[in-house]
Amino acid sequence: MNAKVWLGEFLQTRRSQLQPEDLGIPGYGERRRVPGLRREELASLAGVSVSYYTRLEQGQSLNASPQVLDAIARALRLEEAERLHLHNLARSSATGSGRGRRPAPERVTEATGQLLEALVHVPAIVTGRRSDVLAWNRLGHALFAGHLDPGAPDRPAERPNMARLVFLDAHTRDLYADWPAKARAVVGNLRLVAGRHPDDTALHALVGELSAKSADFASMWADHRVTACAVATYEMRHPLVGPLTVTQQTLSQGPGQDQEHGQNIVVATTEADSPARTTLALLAQVTPQHAPARPGVRAGSG
């Protein structure tokens, strides 16, 4: 996918979502042909020329400085994750896309495997760059994907993918009471990853597959929303133990010396002395013990 196109589309969608009256721009009751700010209005707010901003939206300006990008981000009222996404897209546009390649299968590092083992009483899964499930503990498997083979993450060709599950798997869709909120978070995170890794052909293939198979995904992807999935609370409806409210936290593992990218550990916690805590304890009791106790690991692998 072309980072220049993504940059232009991101700027256009954000510009279209701003209302002139919200920014103190007089409209004098005029009817606009398209929603949002005009290019000249956005350029004025950012302190750049209209021609320069137009070239940037059209992918023809490849030398935007960090200061200019920050000025545009302020004019567009971008949140921090969106500002970083803008910088990533601009950097990728300037350097040009390299030759796309399909990276080697990701593997769980020794340290991450040890951490997963330690979280025996907390549902936890390890995900890779594209949301592939690289490993999960017994409770993580039971909570998020108990209908799947517990050994699937150990086989790279059969690894579950959380984005694919959220949009294409009926069990996972029913698992979230507010499915659209979960779906938007998944798409927003994929957008962030795509901005950082524009030449990841496996990621592009996943986006293409989901766009073709899910109208919901295609619509959300076209919106260019970006979301840093750090902490979110979800009401889940588990088929075995019923409803429970969990806080899903994503713990990012930074790139190691021999890793091309980091891994994430997603954990689901519950409030102390809450019904959800009791429900989670019940899930631990009814979950079979045959799930793999230790994921396959390779020290320092990426």
Side-chain angles (χ1 to χ4, degrees), residues 193-208:
V193 176
R196 298 188 192 110
H197 307 282
D199 301 322
D200 188 329
T201 58
L203 177 60
H204 298 167
L206 174 64
V207 170

Side-chain angles (χ1 to χ4, degrees), residues 16 75 165 299:
S16 70
L165 289 176

Side-chain angles (χ1 to χ4, degrees), residues 79-113:
E79 297 180 354
E80 180 61 15
E82 295 172 319
R83 186 188 71 83
L84 294 176
H85 183 62
L86 175 61
H87 279 262
N88 286 333
L89 291 177
R91 183 166 50 252
S92 298
S93 299
T95 57
S97 296
R99 179 176 299 176
R101 60 189 182 90
R102 182 175 293 271
E106 297 172 278
R107 296 181 184 274
V108 178
T109 64
E110 184 70 32
T112 301

